[in-house]
Amino acid sequence: MSTEYEAVIGLEIHVQLSTRTKMFCGCELSFGDDPNVHTCPVCLALPGVLPVPNRTAFEYALKIGAALDCELATVSTFDRKNYFYPDNPKAYQITQAARPFAVNGKLGDVRIHHAHLEEDAAKTIHTGGSGRIKGSDASLVDFNRGGTPLVEIVTEPDLHSGAQVREWGQLLRATIKQLGVSDVNMEEGSLRCDANVSIRPVGSTELGVKTEMKNMNSFRFIERGIDAEVARQKALLEAGEPVVQETLHFDPATGELHSLRSKEEAHDYRYLPEPDLVPVVPTQEMFDEARNSLPELPADRARRYEDLGVSEQAALLLSFETEWAGYFEEVLDAGDSLEPRVVANWVTGELSAELRRQEDRPLADSNVPPASLAALIGLVARKKISHGAGKTVLEEMVSTGADPETVVADKGLEQISDSGELEKIVLQVIEENPKPAEQVRAGNEKAIGALVGGVMKATQGRADGGEVNRLLRQHLGL
Amino acid sequence: MSDIELLAASGAETAAMISSGEISAEEVLEFWLGRVSGDQLNGYLWKADNEAALAGVNVDGGALTGVPLAIKDIFCTEGVPTTAASKILAGYRPPFTATSVRNTAAAGMPMLGKTNMDEFAMGSSNENSAFGPSLNPWDTGRVPGGSSGGSAAVVAGGLAPWALGTDTGGSIRQPAGFCGIVGLKPTYGSISRYGMIAFASSLDQCGPLTRNVTDAALLLDVLQGRDPCDSTSVGIEGGVSAPSADRLDGLRFGVPRALIGEGIEAGVLARFEDTLIRIADLGGEIVDIELPHAGHAISAYYVLAPAEASTNLSRYDGVRYGLRSSDEDLLSMYEVTRDDGFGPEVKRRIMLGTYALSSGYYDAYYGRAQRVRTRIVEDFNTAFSEVDFVVTPTSPTVAFKLGEKTADPWTMYLSDVFTVPISLAGIPAISIPAGLAEPDGGGPELPVGFQIAAPAFAEQGLLEAAYALETAIRFDGSAGLAGGAA
Amino acid sequence: MIDREQVLHVARLSRLRLTEEEVDTLTGELSSVLDHVDKLAEVDIEGVEPTSHVVPLENVLRDDVPVPSLDRDVALSQAPDPHDGAFRVPSPQAEA
Ligand SMILES: [Mg+2]
Ligand SMILES: [Zn+2]
């Protein structure tokens, strides 16, 4: 019998803070500008310069700590982490090792070991050969990004599958986005995720040898990368081969894992307390501000929506996207006693699909104000129009911004409420479709679908589905 | 106004001549630039011309306007070569100016030039300069001390009325002592470190090297202050003013007898004892004190300072400025550049510091040294509950001969045995000339420094005591003044 | 005491390509300095907090207000190999 394995995954997530200036100097933060236009003696690490920490960065960090339910440190200090690399101009990164600003938190079912503040590295761009470097390639260093404030969040190894990492990662991203302290844009690198992956026999409490997966730029890729790595480790162990501690890169195009070649001997970061900085001892005011300014966080919001009767899936979708949640609530407020479950389905289902279909429009650019959607949902709920007609109306609303009542009137979509008129059409459809009618009479209830479709077509979707069904069954003797 | 008078004048006296109209600021600058151009001491690594000397200088800067200043080449000066006496920074011109130099320029003081030093301030003799040692104006066969040896030599040798230096473990006080001038290391945090090339960040402090205590006070007042660019700067509340005390009544001077023993030259000890008698003559009380852990200060220092230095000097990597010796590949760029660019003492300390911080050794070296530092801080706290000042010789010897101590690093390190404990405690101390003494091996008499240390931020009291003592000692530095220029 | 191997390891960490002669000299010098420094073991440090700072300061923070950056020409003016507005270095791929 083969051994069952479970994956044990811990994450290190780097979040770029959206302050105006860098962590230790007054250079403006930027994305996509020409190289080296946002540098100064401090972030170029010229001789003689000294760092001065950004107050807002510290305040943002405290908010993250509070949102992750961490204990916020009463004294926090900075350390130097030493390593040579061209993107690290001082050859040490100022970070927090001994006393980070936040420890022992929790988000969802994952414990947070700690969160610390640090500075981002610069960007190196690999280029082709250069004249001066014999036969080999060169890199160009751009210090614009160097010194951007980062919060690094380190979880306990509480995750067990790629899918769980993706879901939890999305919750984390939504939570931080809600705080307004980061763009959390993975493609632009304002959110970066490394995963430590190991496997162990189910029931064992020992941790296996872990590998580190670096910098994957979407949670979908992370899920696939982790799944691939877990499978690789299982195959190794099953073949009786050891897992080797290494850093891996997942190529989403090929689905392959590559070992990042490291000629470096084992890292020895030679941490030491940063003598150029004094401790941060947040005032009660700073703590209060961090804790009291917290908005409703996604996890809490999802729970509240579910309590309103919204389906779990819709509740999560809405909670992870602040903008959509806001829109949802506005529709709910604008409508006249609409059911939250129904509104959530319209927003996350029909509206979202229609926006995507029409040029992938973001919600912010949509032509449909919340009150209009509320009116539309009201029309369907009060059976003024059928659900199908509702979708036709929505299509028009998204494309032109028209008012739903107007569209209904213009297109004559109002539901046939005169049951005499509907009955006539039903009888006509039965007559014109003798074959399915006979099948239904013979007891094949499924065949009724074709007849319903026929009625809908004849009424251009203006009939109420339930009523059509009732009349068909009545006249077919069911 | 004769040249002799101008040469002998202190900063304060020169300022007074300018403000009384006896001489113009232009004439003063011309005189001093002329002296600088005749530098026989290798005291300057870069010499200003008239235009460069006045760049950025406030011509209406207050009482000290027009009194020029020499600046240790560890301070960044915009557009002006700044090397820290290292080959790795040869030709480097910073795009900004250190806060302390901005402050002296704002006070109206022209810059005469950048003075020689031990490479990255690592050394006690100036022999670690990549550009050759600066020489002692009292005897050019001898060292001026270090690391601010160039600054001490040019002030003592009549090549500048006063100068800026930096002190990490004694680098202002020891050369001041060797050259027969006054050197003040203020409380850590008094003066901004911004733009001062870092050696050991938790110890480095800027300070004045001057002809007398009054000048030290005046220059300190210009330099001190909280700087938003330096998170560790505090300033001195209320600033400092020119001292005027003539007595030491009621003041207690602690002598750590156990520290002042082995390795001290007879002549140095004799001048030290003379000075204690003078203190008593002026009404001060001499008290024996214990600094039980001060004997370990050199050991702790030679872990902590190199450790900080090893990380501070990692930025010299050939990427953004300074020397790049190899383009072969990334690792060669780093390794060849750094091996090429740094001198032997700097490499020694980088190695020592890296070792002390490396995995497996941190607790035994760095962690332990930090705790010994705590003990030393406590020792001084205890001492200052009993006494107002702690006094020692500045150095165990007078200026030694060039090459005399280069063979064994530890022998050289012991030159700072009296200055280092004070640096670790972060407290202020001043070295004033206490007379002349013959070296142990015989030869012409050389200056001896007397060190007075005070509690943190007690600079005013320290300067008052030093002033009263200086007035009583009446040291004559004219033999040095004659030695600087051809 | 520090041996040759350790000296080479530390040199690698320090990014110093020492000559054979330097390795020999440093092995001796560092060993002798460490012999002195090892006397720190005599000090009782039981329960003593480390000192990394003597300044009586905390919470020195800067307002999040931009200040002008350097002109790029100035930023690159001291660079050994400026190229296309950036600092050019040998590629890490070329690391042998
Ligand atoms: Mg990190
Ligand atoms: Zn900057």
Side-chain angles (χ1 to χ4, degrees):
Chain A
M1 204 190 101
S2 70
T3 321
E4 289 261 358
Y5 289 101
E6 74 166 347
V8 181
I9 304 155
L11 303 177
E12 288 169 18
I13 296 119
H14 287 89
V15 179
Q16 278 185 343
L17 301 182
S18 52
T19 48
R20 293 181 68 195
T21 66
K22 294 184 179 183
M23 184 65 216
F24 295 113
C25 68
C27 289
E28 250 177 300
L29 296 183
S30 68
F31 182 81
D33 281 345
D34 286 345
N36 295 303
V37 294
H38 299 286
T39 73
C40 72
V42 175
C43 57
L44 288 175
L46 300 189
V49 299
L50 297 168
V52 185
N54 183 332
R55 179 192 312 277
T56 303
F58 205 89
E59 288 167 353
Y60 282 6
L62 288 179
K63 282 190 189 193
I64 291 177
L68 298 181
D69 212 10
C70 290
E71 295 162 26
L72 301 179
T74 52
V75 180
S76 97
T77 55
F78 292 96
D79 298 277
R80 292 181 179 180
K81 176 183 181 178
N82 294 281
Y83 65 95
F84 287 89
Y85 205 72
D87 66 9
N88 180 22
K90 299 184 293 299
Y92 57 82
Q93 179 195 33
I94 304 179
T95 179
Q96 299 192 295
R99 291 197 272 185
F101 72 87
V103 294
N104 295 337
K106 199 168 199 323
L107 177 69
D109 47 7
V110 175
R111 290 169 301 155
I112 308 294
H113 180 272
H114 77 268
H116 65 256
L117 249 180
E118 59 187 27
E119 53 180 342
D120 206 349
K123 228 183 193 152
T124 47
I125 305 137
H126 190 66
T127 68
S130 89
R132 293 194 49 192
I133 299 160
K134 311 184 238 173
S136 68
D137 291 352
S139 300
L140 296 178
V141 194
D142 168 13
F143 289 95
N144 284 349
R145 192 185 74 178
T148 299
L150 287 182
V151 163
E152 181 175 339
I153 298 161
V154 179
T155 76
E156 297 286 357
D158 285 351
L159 295 127
H160 302 288
S161 72
Q164 193 194 356
V165 168
R166 173 176 47 75
E167 278 166 28
W168 187 81
Q170 282 163 345
L171 172 64
L172 178 72
R173 181 173 59 187
T175 302
I176 292 170
K177 189 167 184 195
Q178 182 87 67
L179 299 175
V181 300
S182 171
D183 301 335
V184 288
N185 181 330
M186 294 188 86
E187 263 156 49
E188 291 184 359
S190 52
L191 181 78
R192 305 196 289 269
C193 183
D194 301 342
N196 291 309
V197 181
S198 66
I199 62 170
R200 66 184 171 196
V202 171
S204 160
T205 52
E206 259 168 69
L207 290 174
V209 175
K210 68 180 180 189
T211 56
E212 191 182 8
M213 309 193 56
K214 278 276 182 202
N215 256 334
M216 295 168 285
N217 68 356
S218 92
F219 282 119
R220 300 259 161 220
F221 293 162
I222 293 175
E223 176 178 13
R224 286 172 52 203
I226 286 175
D227 288 344
E229 174 55 9
V230 169
R232 189 187 70 92
Q233 290 190 15
K234 274 184 189 163
L236 279 175
L237 293 191
E238 275 160 10
E241 286 173 41
V243 173
V244 181
Q245 187 161 353
E246 62 186 330
T247 301
L248 298 167
H249 171 73
F250 174 70
D251 182 350
T254 61
E256 277 169 25
L257 292 156
H258 304 282
S259 181
L260 289 180
R261 193 166 58 119
S262 171
K263 296 274 167 147
E264 193 63 35
E265 58 202 282
H267 278 301
D268 182 347
Y269 290 124
R270 291 161 282 134
Y271 284 97
L272 78 159
E274 167 55 282
D276 289 331
L277 294 173
V278 300
V280 182
V281 182
T283 57
Q284 194 54 46
E285 245 178 307
M286 287 166 84
F287 284 135
D288 289 347
E289 170 63 21
R291 293 199 177 101
N292 300 341
S293 70
L294 285 188
E296 182 185 40
L297 297 174
D300 300 328
R301 181 186 288 156
R303 216 168 300 128
R304 182 164 64 85
Y305 288 172
E306 282 184 58
D307 289 348
L308 289 173
V310 173
S311 73
E312 186 187 342
Q313 198 196 350
L316 285 176
L317 278 170
L318 288 171
S319 304
F320 283 9
E321 299 289 349
T322 317
E323 216 188 334
W324 286 88
Y327 186 86
F328 162 70
E329 300 206 6
E330 280 179 62
V331 175
L332 211 52
D333 286 349
D336 187 10
S337 62
L338 298 177
E339 253 186 86
R341 185 183 50 81
V342 174
V343 172
N345 290 344
W346 272 95
V347 171
T348 62
E350 283 81 358
L351 177 62
S352 156
E354 194 53 40
L355 285 173
R356 220 176 306 126
R357 210 176 59 79
Q358 296 191 22
E359 299 159 42
D360 222 350
R361 228 182 277 191
L363 181 63
D365 295 352
S366 122
N367 284 323
V368 186
S372 292
L373 186 65
L376 173 64
I377 299 169
L379 291 174
V380 177
R382 289 192 310 276
K383 309 212 173 199
K384 289 277 189 213
I385 58 172
S386 69
H387 189 92
K391 288 208 224 177
T392 312
V393 176
L394 183 62
E395 185 181 336
E396 188 67 18
M397 289 164 70
V398 169
S399 102
T400 67
D403 173 69
E405 314 262 4
T406 317
V407 182
V408 169
D410 288 357
K411 298 203 167 184
L413 291 173
E414 196 147 342
Q415 194 150 300
I416 300 165
S417 49
D418 179 343
S419 68
E421 191 189 336
L422 187 57
E423 192 161 15
K424 262 202 299 199
I425 298 171
V426 165
L427 288 171
Q428 194 185 333
V429 169
I430 291 173
E431 201 183 311
E432 284 167 6
N433 296 281
K435 217 171 161 187
E438 200 44 50
Q439 284 171 338
V440 176
R441 284 197 190 95
N444 180 1
E445 286 198 35
K446 276 188 190 158
I448 203 166
L451 297 170
V452 172
V455 175
M456 287 302 180
K457 200 174 163 196
T459 60
Q460 291 171 305
R462 289 159 58 235
D464 174 60
E467 185 63 6
V468 171
N469 237 304
R470 194 186 61 78
L471 287 170
L472 279 170
R473 293 168 82 93
Q474 184 194 318
H475 288 286
L476 292 170
L478 286 178
Chain B
M1 169 68 14
S2 74
D3 281 0
I4 302 292
E5 282 173 86
L6 197 48
L7 178 64
S10 69
E13 286 160 355
T14 308
M17 292 178 202
I18 295 171
S19 65
S20 73
E22 269 178 81
I23 191 168
S24 71
E26 292 74 23
E27 288 168 297
V28 168
L29 181 59
E30 195 189 326
F31 168 79
W32 282 110
L33 288 176
R35 294 286 303 174
V36 169
S37 69
D39 175 11
Q40 296 281 295
L41 303 173
N42 198 24
Y44 285 96
L45 296 178
W46 177 85
K47 297 167 183 169
D49 59 18
N50 196 278
E51 194 189 339
L54 290 167
V57 172
N58 181 359
V59 292
D60 204 7
L64 301 175
T65 301
V67 187
L69 176 82
I71 289 167
K72 186 178 182 179
D73 201 29
I74 201 165
F75 293 94
C76 291
T77 41
E78 186 174 344
V80 168
T82 300
T83 66
S86 182
K87 187 178 158 191
I88 212 160
L89 280 177
Y92 173 66
R93 289 171 190 261
F96 73 104
T97 297
T99 301
S100 38
V101 177
R102 292 169 68 106
N103 287 342
T104 56
M109 298 152 90
M111 169 171 66
L112 292 174
K114 304 291 289 290
T115 58
N116 204 349
M117 55 184 282
D118 285 297
E119 182 179 2
F120 286 107
M122 297 178 189
S124 309
S125 69
N126 228 285
E127 292 163 295
N128 298 328
S129 168
F131 309 108
S134 172
L135 310 174
N136 192 316
W138 292 78
D139 175 353
T140 53
R142 289 178 184 266
V143 304
S147 67
S148 309
S151 285
V154 300
V155 173
L159 302 172
W162 49 17
L164 292 193
T166 62
D167 189 315
T168 304
S171 280
I172 288 174
R173 292 160 285 163
Q174 187 254 22
F178 276 15
C179 292
I181 60 169
V182 170
L184 171 65
K185 182 204 88 81
T187 309
Y188 182 84
S190 302
I191 301 175
S192 170
R193 291 183 294 119
Y194 189 74
M196 213 171 94
I197 296 178
F199 159 20
S201 311
S202 79
L203 297 159
D204 296 342
Q205 189 60 201
C206 166
L209 291 107
T210 56
R211 304 272 181 79
N212 63 34
V213 176
T214 301
D215 275 8
L218 297 179
L219 204 43
L220 175 61
D221 194 50
V222 169
L223 295 166
Q224 67 81 26
R226 157 100 185 99
D227 177 8
C229 293
D230 177 359
S231 306
T232 64
S233 75
V234 189
I236 299 171
E237 220 185 309
V240 289
S241 48
S244 58
D246 52 7
R247 298 279 306 167
L248 299 171
D249 298 307
L251 295 172
R252 294 162 67 87
F253 293 75
V255 180
R257 282 284 168 198
L259 196 62
I260 307 166
E262 229 179 310
I264 190 163
E265 288 186 339
V268 169
L269 192 58
R271 291 298 82 73
F272 178 67
E273 301 295 347
D274 293 348
T275 310
L276 295 183
I277 292 167
R278 279 190 200 282
I279 288 173
D281 287 348
L282 293 170
E285 189 185 343
I286 305 297
V287 183
D288 281 355
I289 57 158
E290 304 270 340
L291 296 172
H293 302 91
H296 293 284
I298 291 276
S299 295
Y301 177 85
Y302 277 95
V303 173
L304 298 174
E308 290 182 18
S310 73
T311 90
N312 282 332
L313 269 60
S314 292
R315 70 188 57 197
Y316 305 101
D317 57 7
V319 176
R320 298 162 316 278
Y321 45 80
L323 185 71
R324 180 189 293 185
S325 289
S326 169
D327 254 350
E328 199 69 27
D329 55 59
L330 190 63
L331 192 61
S332 299
M333 178 191 73
Y334 284 129
E335 292 188 338
V336 177
T337 300
R338 290 165 58 78
D339 188 53
D340 226 26
F342 292 134
E345 180 63 24
V346 171
K347 282 189 239 181
R348 200 143 50 218
R349 297 207 196 178
I350 289 175
M351 292 285 291
L352 192 56
T354 302
Y355 179 70
L357 290 173
S358 67
S359 165
Y361 296 95
Y362 183 94
D363 290 339
Y365 289 106
Y366 193 74
R368 175 169 285 273
Q370 281 192 312
R371 288 175 169 81
V372 173
R373 184 175 185 183
T374 306
R375 287 287 198 213
I376 291 167
V377 170
E378 291 166 353
D379 285 354
F380 278 102
N381 288 341
T382 307
F384 286 128
S385 67
E386 290 167 33
V387 297
D388 298 288
F389 305 104
V390 171
V391 295
T392 68
T394 305
S395 310
T397 68
V398 294
F400 42 87
K401 288 182 186 141
L402 287 160
E404 186 178 328
K405 296 195 181 193
T406 44
D408 173 27
W410 194 258
T411 311
M412 185 73 90
Y413 298 168
L414 287 176
S415 189
D416 293 326
V417 65
F418 302 131
T419 50
V420 157
I422 286 157
S423 298
L424 291 174
I427 56 177
I430 194 167
S431 175
I432 59 170
L436 301 173
E438 230 181 64
D440 264 4
E445 290 194 312
L446 293 161
V448 174
F450 182 80
Q451 176 177 244
I452 315 171
F457 301 107
E459 268 81 353
Q460 189 66 50
L462 176 66
L463 289 158
E464 297 290 349
Y467 178 78
L469 207 44
E470 169 186 68
T471 311
I473 293 169
R474 292 169 170 276
F475 179 77
D476 177 8
S478 56
L481 273 186
Chain C
M1 255 307 278
I2 182 168
D3 62 27
R4 238 187 111 81
E5 278 309 300
Q6 286 172 302
V7 167
L8 286 168
H9 171 71
V10 173
R12 175 70 186 245
L13 283 176
S14 310
R15 293 292 183 277
L16 290 170
R17 192 168 294 174
L18 302 176
T19 61
E20 282 300 300
E21 204 187 323
E22 283 178 311
V23 175
D24 291 339
T25 319
L26 278 167
T27 305
E29 286 172 346
L30 293 180
S31 289
S32 123
V33 170
L34 288 170
D35 282 348
H36 291 284
V37 165
D38 282 338
K39 299 214 177 74
L40 287 178
E42 295 165 8
V43 183
D44 177 15
I45 54 163
E46 182 77 32
V48 176
E49 285 295 313
T51 295
S52 38
H53 259 288
V54 289
V55 272
L57 284 176
E58 56 194 31
N59 288 347
V60 181
L61 300 163
R62 168 180 63 81
D63 289 341
D64 186 25
V65 177
V67 297
S69 292
L70 288 175
D71 268 358
R72 184 161 75 181
D73 292 347
V74 174
L76 288 164
S77 66
Q78 305 294 309
D81 188 16
H83 184 81
D84 264 359
F87 298 84
R88 185 160 56 182
V89 293
S91 165
Q93 253 72 7
E95 196 164 318

